[in-house]
Amino acid sequence: MTIAPEQEEHSNYLGQFIPIQYHHSMLMDPNRMKNFKAAIDFVVQPGAKVLELGGGTGVLSWFAANNAAKVWCVEYNPELVAESRRFLNLNPNGHKVEVIHADAFDYLPPEPVDVLICEMIHVAMLREKLVEVMASFKQRYQKRFGAALPILVPTAVVMAVQPLQKDYHFEGFHAPIIQIEELSGNLPGTLDLAPPAIYSILDFTAANTVDIAWDGVVIIEQSGTVNALRFITKNILAMINERSSTIDWLNRYMVLPLATPVKVQAGESLRIHFQYRAGDFISVLQNALRVEVVR
């Protein structure tokens, strides 16, 4: 398959370069698996046609195949294409899923679909190109099939940031390092100095910019030293209108250390500034972080 020059940069950032062994961790993550299954079971009606972009091991397409008549599962990594086909052959309804070796920026299904699934998601919308893939798909799909879009999974994403005091000493070795945190609670040596503040909401049913920036103020609730920021990303996978509720997937938190820690007192206002583009490397956001007490 030939990749156009204007798409080559996009492709180099996509998740196709995640080694297959890391997909085991995704399969073992009950928070991810159970919520995606619940959302897909809800939105995929019997007999539906479904497209997944960035299929990985094929597990989300397989969830869809429980109800769908046909699923097209698009994956760029040839190793994952082979493995997903192998896995699907081992599972009931796997024959309903056709694994396509193609670029998510190029592929369109041969006919309209009822649901689009695209799990190219990293905390803060970094590293992977979900925002751009969604925008590209909607434009190309509507040009070929008309104005009506399929149900999108995820439908939206809510992102927040929270100032922390973290202990970065490891047996006496001081190493301020990027961390991925579990959702089960703070580790020893971690203090929440203020509640999370929402800095961006992306609605994938509407147009979104890839430029994400925030210059906001949070009120410090506990005195200490802000030496890190926690980034929180909640993905709205499905809307249940009749119950006015949603099915969500909360990514593991990402904590970025600050180059210059800031001492704060309870009641003070802390200004936080950063900017980046969806899909950027984590280092782009980390280098853009600025915090200061507003006096």
Side-chain angles (χ1 to χ4, degrees):
M1 180 183 60
T2 301
I3 300 176
E6 64 270 18
Q7 301 295 348
E8 188 171 357
E9 180 182 356
H10 295 302
S11 297
N12 288 337
Y13 279 95
L14 289 172
Q16 67 260 21
F17 297 113
I18 298 173
I20 192 167
Q21 60 267 29
Y22 288 99
H23 286 267
H24 176 260
S25 298
M26 300 182 203
L27 294 171
M28 288 290 292
D29 183 351
N31 177 50
R32 176 182 182 270
M33 295 286 282
K34 290 181 179 179
N35 287 301
F36 264 104
K37 185 178 188 303
I40 292 168
D41 285 348
F42 178 76
V43 301
V44 178
Q45 300 300 307
K49 306 289 179 67
V50 178
L51 171 66
E52 182 184 6
L53 298 177
T57 59
V59 63
L60 302 186
S61 287
W62 182 73
F63 289 158
N66 289 330
N67 287 329
K70 175 70 176 182
V71 184
W72 291 273
C73 175
V74 176
E75 174 55 48
Y76 187 74
N77 182 336
E79 182 182 26
L80 282 169
V81 169
E83 286 293 83
S84 60
R85 287 171 178 166
R86 181 171 71 89
F87 298 151
L88 289 162
N89 285 335
L90 298 173
N91 288 276
N93 295 317
H95 66 282
K96 296 183 186 179
V97 182
E98 180 181 354
V99 179
I100 309 293
H101 183 203
D103 191 314
F105 277 103
D106 297 330
Y107 184 80
L108 280 176
E111 59 185 284
V113 295
D114 303 290
V115 177
L116 169 72
I117 302 167
C118 186
E119 199 279 82
M120 298 181 183
I121 300 171
H122 188 275
V123 180
M125 296 293 104
L126 293 163
R127 293 187 63 239
E128 299 200 67
K129 292 288 185 178
L130 176 67
V131 177
E132 289 186 66
V133 167
M134 283 284 204
S136 172
F137 167 79
K138 290 189 295 183
Q139 182 182 29
R140 292 180 293 107
Y141 185 90
Q142 290 180 316
K143 184 177 180 180
R144 177 177 293 185
F145 297 119
L149 286 170
I151 296 171
L152 304 177
V153 180
T155 299
V157 63
V158 181
M159 292 179 280
V161 63
Q162 182 178 25
L164 303 178
Q165 177 176 297
K166 295 281 292 186
D167 183 2
Y168 284 119
H169 290 86
F170 307 92
E171 294 297 327
F173 181 63
H174 182 61
I177 189 170
I178 297 173
Q179 294 171 285
I180 299 297
E181 295 183 323
E182 298 293 338
L183 306 178
S184 54
N186 284 343
L187 293 172
T190 301
L191 293 177
D192 300 343
L193 300 184
I198 293 174
Y199 69 84
S200 181
I201 298 176
L202 303 178
D203 178 358
F204 294 120
T205 65
N208 293 294
T209 176
V210 295
D211 295 306
I212 299 172
W214 197 60
D215 188 4
V217 173
V218 298
I219 305 302
I220 297 297
E221 294 187 347
Q222 182 169 332
S223 300
T225 298
V226 179
N227 64 351
L229 295 178
R230 171 185 287 147
F231 286 83
I232 301 166
T233 303
K234 182 170 77 171
N235 306 282
I236 311 300
L237 302 181
M239 307 284 290
I240 307 177
N241 295 325
E242 56 269 28
R243 297 208 303 257
S244 299
S245 63
T246 60
I247 300 174
D248 306 328
W249 170 42
L250 188 63
N251 285 75
R252 290 185 175 97
Y253 306 137
M254 181 176 68
V255 178
L256 301 184
L258 299 178
T260 305
V262 177
K263 291 185 178 181
V264 293
Q265 298 294 322
E268 288 185 326
S269 298
L270 185 74
R271 170 163 284 160
I272 300 173
H273 171 82
F274 54 82
Q275 60 186 22
Y276 61 96
R277 289 171 60 88
D280 269 341
F281 290 116
I282 296 172
S283 58
V284 174
L285 169 56
Q286 189 172 21
N287 292 337
L289 297 177
R290 302 290 183 272
V291 299
E292 61 178 351
V293 175
V294 180
R295 302 192 184 279

PDB file of all heavy atoms in Angstrom, residues 21 68 96 99 109 155:
ATOM      1  N   GLN A  21       3.171  -7.072  22.298  1.00  0.00           N
ATOM      2  CA  GLN A  21       3.113  -7.516  23.690  1.00  0.00           C
ATOM      3  C   GLN A  21       2.388  -6.513  24.582  1.00  0.00           C
ATOM      4  O   GLN A  21       1.839  -6.883  25.617  1.00  0.00           O
ATOM      5  CB  GLN A  21       4.513  -7.812  24.238  1.00  0.00           C
ATOM      6  CG  GLN A  21       5.485  -6.655  24.227  1.00  0.00           C
ATOM      7  CD  GLN A  21       6.327  -6.608  22.982  1.00  0.00           C
ATOM      8  OE1 GLN A  21       5.889  -7.046  21.924  1.00  0.00           O
ATOM      9  NE2 GLN A  21       7.554  -6.092  23.099  1.00  0.00           N
ATOM     10  N   ALA A  68     -23.682  -7.411  15.333  1.00  0.00           N
ATOM     11  CA  ALA A  68     -23.583  -6.884  13.964  1.00  0.00           C
ATOM     12  C   ALA A  68     -23.716  -7.991  12.926  1.00  0.00           C
ATOM     13  O   ALA A  68     -23.401  -9.163  13.177  1.00  0.00           O
ATOM     14  CB  ALA A  68     -22.258  -6.161  13.777  1.00  0.00           C
ATOM     15  N   LYS A  96     -17.648 -12.890  11.129  1.00  0.00           N
ATOM     16  CA  LYS A  96     -18.348 -11.668  10.721  1.00  0.00           C
ATOM     17  C   LYS A  96     -17.399 -10.489  10.549  1.00  0.00           C
ATOM     18  O   LYS A  96     -17.780  -9.460   9.991  1.00  0.00           O
ATOM     19  CB  LYS A  96     -19.402 -11.284  11.761  1.00  0.00           C
ATOM     20  CG  LYS A  96     -20.531 -12.273  11.949  1.00  0.00           C
ATOM     21  CD  LYS A  96     -21.516 -11.682  12.959  1.00  0.00           C
ATOM     22  CE  LYS A  96     -22.602 -12.618  13.333  1.00  0.00           C
ATOM     23  NZ  LYS A  96     -23.524 -12.016  14.335  1.00  0.00           N
ATOM     24  N   VAL A  99     -10.856  -8.306   8.508  1.00  0.00           N
ATOM     25  CA  VAL A  99      -9.715  -7.487   8.894  1.00  0.00           C
ATOM     26  C   VAL A  99      -9.069  -6.928   7.625  1.00  0.00           C
ATOM     27  O   VAL A  99      -8.668  -7.679   6.733  1.00  0.00           O
ATOM     28  CB  VAL A  99      -8.694  -8.292   9.716  1.00  0.00           C
ATOM     29  CG1 VAL A  99      -7.499  -7.412  10.076  1.00  0.00           C
ATOM     30  CG2 VAL A  99      -9.346  -8.852  10.976  1.00  0.00           C
ATOM     31  N   PRO A 109     -15.477   2.180   4.198  1.00  0.00           N
ATOM     32  CA  PRO A 109     -16.137   0.899   3.959  1.00  0.00           C
ATOM     33  C   PRO A 109     -16.842   0.911   2.604  1.00  0.00           C
ATOM     34  O   PRO A 109     -17.124   1.972   2.044  1.00  0.00           O
ATOM     35  CB  PRO A 109     -17.143   0.817   5.118  1.00  0.00           C
ATOM     36  CG  PRO A 109     -17.441   2.241   5.444  1.00  0.00           C
ATOM     37  CD  PRO A 109     -16.149   2.985   5.236  1.00  0.00           C
ATOM     38  N   THR A 155     -17.840   9.092  21.659  1.00  0.00           N
ATOM     39  CA  THR A 155     -18.625  10.239  21.213  1.00  0.00           C
ATOM     40  C   THR A 155     -17.949  11.553  21.593  1.00  0.00           C
ATOM     41  O   THR A 155     -18.031  12.535  20.862  1.00  0.00           O
ATOM     42  CB  THR A 155     -20.033  10.180  21.832  1.00  0.00           C
ATOM     43  OG1 THR A 155     -20.674   8.976  21.403  1.00  0.00           O
ATOM     44  CG2 THR A 155     -20.872  11.377  21.426  1.00  0.00           C
TER      45      THR A 155
END
